Amino acid sequence: KTFMHDIKQEVYLSISPETYLKRLLVGGYEKVYTICKNFRNESIDRTHNPEFTMMECYQAYVDYEEMMKITEQMYEYVAKKVNGTTIIEIEGKKIDLKTPWKRMTMIEAIKKYANIDVSKIELKDLNKVIKENHIKYEGEANKGLMIAAIFEELAEKHLINPVHIIDHPKETTALCKNHRKYHHLIERFEPYINCWEVGNGYSELNDPVLQRELLEDQEKQRKKGNESVYPMDEDFVNAIEIGMPPAGGLGLGIDRMIMLITGQPSIRDVIFFPFMKS
């Protein structure tokens, strides 16, 4: 939050351009994108900076399958343009970005790398897994969010070669379409390279009634102390009530892409002015 003197008004740093790009879909633009600075008030480490560069795009009349293709084709294209090859070298590893990339559901990844079948575990047993593995989890017990936390702690560190982690629990986001076969999941994917999440994509939710319900539910979570969830946005809900086409959406971290393509182990080496302690 800051203050704009000329019009004497408080203004805010952007966390995401998502709902504004979707308003353009409502307005009739079938393909939209932006490359912009985003801000997240999160901790700073080797792969995180509070201010980072994001490429975000939306395309009407496609789903997350098309967004996965765009992601891997973009990485392959950029690697060839910069290095003349799809093989990158980072932190002593050689990784081939050639398409197509492997796909694995979040539940499959946990089963493969942690030997836990979370699809068959009750809530109390999920809580036991979290405690035994010292996994950071805050807020009320929620099966979908607990599965996501287990994945991040126990499976992410094994995802060296390019892979799309697909079909996440529906509790992980309020802006994504329910899975067409499994209603406890959503049509969401996150691409991983070198154990880093490099993007996020959905089949976009365009049902205004369900969208309102989900955002109202998240607003209740915010009031209980969960600051990471998306706030209620009446203007956005009003826009998709007018009519948003089915669409696929994708957000790609540009800084992490540059790190991978140029072999830089720290995000500070690819940002001109990273935050510094005074």
Side-chain angles (χ1 to χ4, degrees):
K1 184 169 74 170
T2 186
F3 191 80
M4 193 181 291
H5 296 288
D6 206 41
I7 57 173
K8 297 178 176 59
Q9 184 174 309
E10 285 184 339
V11 291
Y12 298 83
L13 291 166
S14 170
I15 293 171
S16 167
E18 179 168 351
T19 63
Y20 297 94
L21 289 171
K22 288 180 180 177
R23 286 165 171 83
L24 291 174
L25 291 182
V26 172
Y29 291 88
E30 292 186 6
K31 290 182 178 180
V32 292
Y33 80 96
T34 182
I35 297 175
C36 64
K37 290 293 185 183
N38 282 203
F39 181 85
R40 305 273 167 84
N41 201 6
E42 297 175 345
S43 58
I44 298 172
D45 61 28
R46 200 164 52 85
T47 61
H48 293 85
N49 192 64
E51 184 186 59
F52 60 97
T53 309
M54 176 79 79
M55 189 288 298
E56 198 152 310
C57 67
Y58 295 86
Q59 181 177 341
Y61 311 114
V62 301
D63 60 15
Y64 73 149
E65 294 282 348
E66 183 65 20
M67 295 297 112
M68 282 187 256
K69 289 177 188 174
I70 288 172
T71 302
E72 56 194 43
Q73 287 168 4
M74 193 180 303
Y75 258 92
E76 184 181 70
Y77 177 84
V78 173
K80 284 180 178 177
K81 278 286 183 181
V82 175
N83 297 327
T85 175
T86 58
I87 296 171
I88 58 169
E89 293 189 40
I90 187 161
E91 299 176 324
K93 298 185 281 283
K94 285 188 177 182
I95 300 170
D96 195 345
L97 302 178
K98 186 173 176 57
T99 63
W101 294 1
K102 186 177 178 179
R103 298 180 189 188
M104 189 184 298
T105 70
M106 184 176 282
I107 288 169
E108 286 170 348
I110 295 170
K111 192 172 182 179
K112 179 174 181 178
Y113 296 115
N115 200 28
I116 302 167
D117 188 351
V118 291
S119 65
K120 297 178 180 177
I121 288 182
E122 296 296 321
L123 199 61
K124 66 179 190 305
D125 296 317
L126 278 176
N127 199 39
K128 186 179 177 184
V129 169
I130 282 174
K131 286 182 178 177
E132 285 177 352
N133 290 279
H134 310 289
I135 296 169
K136 186 180 178 183
Y137 181 83
E138 296 174 352
E140 294 181 338
N142 179 297
K143 187 170 183 178
L145 295 179
M146 291 165 90
I147 287 171
I150 290 167
F151 164 78
E152 287 173 10
E153 186 66 31
L154 302 182
E156 267 187 14
K157 59 191 174 186
H158 299 283
L159 305 177
I160 295 169
N161 291 311
V163 60
H164 296 299
I165 299 297
I166 65 172
D167 302 347
H168 298 212
K170 68 179 182 180
E171 295 89 347
T172 58
T173 179
L175 296 166
C176 184
K177 242 181 190 170
N178 281 350
H179 197 281
R180 61 199 75 186
K181 289 183 181 177
Y182 308 108
H183 297 302
H184 62 293
L185 302 175
I186 49 176
E187 294 191 352
R188 178 185 182 186
F189 74 96
E190 288 178 329
Y192 280 83
I193 306 168
N194 193 40
C195 313
W196 305 345
E197 176 210 331
V198 297
N200 190 20
Y202 311 154
S203 294
E204 298 297 336
L205 179 60
N206 64 332
D207 177 341
V209 176
L210 180 56
Q211 183 67 88
R212 179 177 290 280
E213 287 175 5
L214 290 169
L215 287 176
E216 285 176 348
D217 181 59
Q218 289 212 340
E219 189 62 32
K220 290 175 186 173
Q221 290 182 42
R222 280 174 68 82
K223 288 175 181 174
K224 289 178 181 176
N226 186 351
E227 294 180 355
S228 65
V229 298
Y230 201 86
M232 184 62 194
D233 188 336
E234 286 287 349
D235 186 58
F236 170 61
V237 175
N238 177 59
I240 64 170
E241 282 173 348
I242 292 165
M244 184 180 119
L250 167 66
L252 272 186
I254 299 298
D255 306 309
R256 287 190 183 177
M257 174 185 265
I258 296 169
M259 290 171 70
L260 288 162
I261 300 292
T262 61
Q264 299 301 316
S266 172
I267 199 167
R268 297 167 73 88
D269 295 328
V270 302
I271 295 176
F272 285 134
F273 302 104
F275 284 92
M276 305 282 282
K277 287 184 179 177
S278 59

